[in-house]
Amino acid sequence: MRRFAHCCLLPVLASTAKLVNRTIDDNDSTSSAPRYLPKGGWAFGPECTGCSISQYVDRTQVFDRTWHDSTYYPDRGAEHNVTVTFTGQAVYVFNMLSDYIPTVATFTNLTFVLDGEHVANYTRKSVSQGPQPLHYHEPVYVNTSLQDGEHTLVMSAGGGGESLILFDYLVYT
């Protein structure tokens, strides 16, 4: 009888497990910290005095008031990428996106590689100067059908022209 009770309760206990969202901030310092390449190709947004876009950022709108900023220029070499390793079954990547700002490269051309395989592209061309120059908490990549386990996601800015990347945070489940 005792074995029967344990066998009957096991499915009930397993079905009450909750999925939990975890956030990796752009400035995370844990073992899940994002890795930025090329070295010297990224700026810590809040401290970047040479970043033209910083003056337009409303820090109260940015997750944990931080972001990482990079502009890829095709004539300067390697793509600019951020790599994050996480364990879960879903992932959501959030960036800031820019409308047209004079003298600032605002075109965004991103590729996403998950566990070594190309899985998505994200492209956004700014066509006009809007009422607010930046958009916050914008999902640039979402995948809710991963096998539960460890994954490595690489987000790259590259292509044939300048590409702005304003990485804010990643959420995984």
Side-chain angles (χ1 to χ4, degrees):
M1 179 67 169
R2 197 173 214 182
R3 282 187 185 156
F4 176 74
H6 289 299
C7 291
C8 290
L9 289 177
L10 187 59
V12 173
L13 294 174
S15 67
T16 62
K18 284 186 174 180
L19 296 176
V20 177
N21 286 339
R22 305 231 185 258
T23 302
I24 299 174
D25 186 38
D26 70 288
N27 201 36
D28 198 308
S29 60
T30 67
S31 61
S32 299
R35 296 177 305 279
Y36 299 96
L37 289 174
K39 293 203 182 292
W42 287 83
F44 179 59
E47 296 176 358
C48 185
T49 57
C51 299
S52 301
I53 207 149
S54 294
Q55 65 183 314
Y56 298 99
V57 176
D58 177 354
R59 292 183 189 181
T60 66
Q61 296 294 315
V62 182
F63 184 82
D64 207 20
R65 298 178 186 257
T66 65
W67 71 96
H68 270 73
D69 178 332
S70 186
T71 303
Y72 164 78
Y73 298 95
D75 59 339
R76 295 186 190 167
E79 292 184 342
H80 293 206
N81 62 61
V82 55
T83 302
V84 179
T85 300
F86 63 94
T87 300
Q89 58 191 30
V91 64
Y92 311 80
V93 179
F94 296 91
N95 285 7
M96 290 187 294
L97 297 173
S98 176
D99 279 335
Y100 173 78
I101 300 172
T103 71
V104 176
T106 57
F107 179 69
T108 299
N109 183 28
L110 305 175
T111 58
F112 295 88
V113 173
L114 181 69
D115 300 332
E117 292 190 33
H118 177 263
V119 291
N121 294 317
Y122 180 92
T123 303
R124 183 175 189 275
K125 180 179 180 181
S126 303
V127 292
S128 66
Q129 193 167 0
Q132 64 180 37
L134 292 169
H135 302 275
Y136 304 92
H137 312 285
E138 293 288 334
V140 293
Y141 177 68
V142 173
N143 189 331
T144 59
S145 60
L146 301 176
Q147 277 211 329
D148 195 15
E150 184 175 276
H151 301 282
T152 299
L153 179 68
V154 180
M155 175 175 56
S156 300
E162 296 176 356
S163 180
L164 175 67
I165 183 169
L166 300 168
F167 175 59
D168 193 5
Y169 62 101
L170 174 147
V171 175
Y172 65 94
T173 303

